[in-house]
Amino acid sequence: MADIVVRDEGGFNQVFAPVGSTPLRQQRRNDWTLDQIARVGARRVLEIGSGTGESAAYLAARTGAEVVAVDISPAFIALSRDRYQAPNLRYELFDLLGDKPLAFGQFDMICGNGILHHLIKRLPQVLETMRQMTNPGGGMAFIEPNFLNPYCAFAFGTRMGRRFARLEPDEMAFKPGELRQALADAGWQDVVVKMRDFLVPGLPLALVKPTLAIEPLLEGSALTSWLAQSHFMTARA
């Protein structure tokens, strides 16, 4: 396992030193989020669970949108503010379940990477709150772990895996039907949940090109797409 660079106050959410395929994997996910921002023409973007700030800074540098990045960790927010500054970028301490939802106004796009599975026990409230925070016609774009993926099934579904992955007590990966139903129940429209991404983090660089070469085949076949790491989910308010 890669060295831990920083962790939050609870010790669960760590940031590991980027090795192998990890930087490219994160860039691809950021680029997907950029595509969703462009798709709705978002001028105000909220990233929930911004961690140490890299993704928000990436989005702010490549769009003309105002990017507000929020996290519940004071350590992560302090580090983000120290590392990244831009006129259209701000980092704020914010608890989606405890603070006033409209503290920073409404947004055209709400996004996040690997955050909703931390909130699964209160997911209906979370999704409804996010819809209230989104302007009419605006969108959401999240990437969440796929429980059908063998590693995710081990990490989230077994005691040994949960200890190995240092998961919070309430963290749980999603099955696609659960997400589609939860989004529809919360009033989101045009819900799309796709299982994608076979580029696992920390993959040796020598295996990156072969993985990228076969990935379209794996994602394009119903026989193998369900094995992908993540759900790429979008919806409209």
Side-chain angles (χ1 to χ4, degrees):
M1 183 175 289
D3 293 336
I4 296 173
V5 177
V6 64
R7 67 180 76 205
D8 73 357
E9 290 76 8
F12 291 107
N13 298 305
Q14 306 94 6
V15 177
F16 295 93
V19 295
S21 62
T22 302
L24 175 60
R25 179 178 183 267
Q26 187 58 49
Q27 180 183 330
R28 296 202 315 166
R29 291 172 173 235
N30 289 339
D31 287 341
W32 177 82
T33 303
L34 280 175
D35 289 342
Q36 307 316 309
I37 291 172
R39 179 176 58 84
V40 301
R43 304 304 300 170
R44 299 196 78 225
V45 176
L46 176 69
E47 185 194 11
I48 296 176
S50 58
T52 51
E54 291 86 356
S55 292
Y58 189 94
L59 300 178
R62 290 161 178 79
T63 70
E66 175 192 2
V67 178
V68 180
V70 299
D71 203 282
I72 62 171
S73 167
F76 283 175
I77 291 297
L79 185 61
S80 299
R81 289 172 174 170
D82 183 61
R83 286 180 171 176
Y84 307 106
Q85 298 88 34
N88 61 329
L89 174 65
R90 55 195 276 214
Y91 296 96
E92 300 288 350
L93 194 64
F94 180 72
D95 181 354
L96 184 65
L97 295 174
D99 293 327
K100 294 181 179 180
L102 298 181
F104 306 112
Q106 288 185 299
F107 295 86
D108 305 308
M109 171 62 70
I110 297 183
C111 59
N113 183 1
I115 181 62
L116 297 181
H117 74 280
H118 292 274
L119 306 168
I120 192 166
K121 284 200 169 183
R122 298 176 68 179
L123 187 63
Q125 177 187 349
V126 168
L127 294 177
E128 289 179 10
T129 298
M130 290 198 307
R131 184 172 55 81
Q132 294 169 10
M133 298 168 67
T134 308
N135 286 319
M140 60 100 79
F142 282 81
I143 303 172
E144 296 294 331
N146 174 25
F147 189 81
L148 302 181
N149 171 268
Y151 172 75
C152 288
F154 166 72
F156 288 91
T158 68
R159 289 185 179 180
M160 181 183 297
R162 295 185 71 87
R163 286 197 300 269
F164 174 78
R166 299 171 182 164
L167 300 185
E168 293 176 332
D170 293 337
E171 278 187 75
M172 182 53 66
F174 294 104
K175 296 177 182 178
E178 295 171 335
L179 285 173
R180 294 188 184 101
Q181 188 62 56
L183 287 163
D185 289 346
W188 290 90
Q189 303 177 47
D190 300 336
V191 174
V192 177
V193 179
K194 292 184 178 180
M195 289 172 282
R196 295 178 50 187
D197 198 354
F198 286 83
L199 187 65
V200 299
L203 191 70
L205 290 175
L207 297 178
V208 170
K209 284 188 176 180
T211 300
L212 296 180
I214 65 171
E215 184 179 58
L217 298 176
L218 296 174
E219 291 182 344
S221 170
L223 296 175
T224 51
S225 61
W226 61 274
L227 292 168
Q229 297 174 73
S230 301
H231 300 294
F232 285 65
M233 46 190 286
T234 60
R236 182 174 57 82

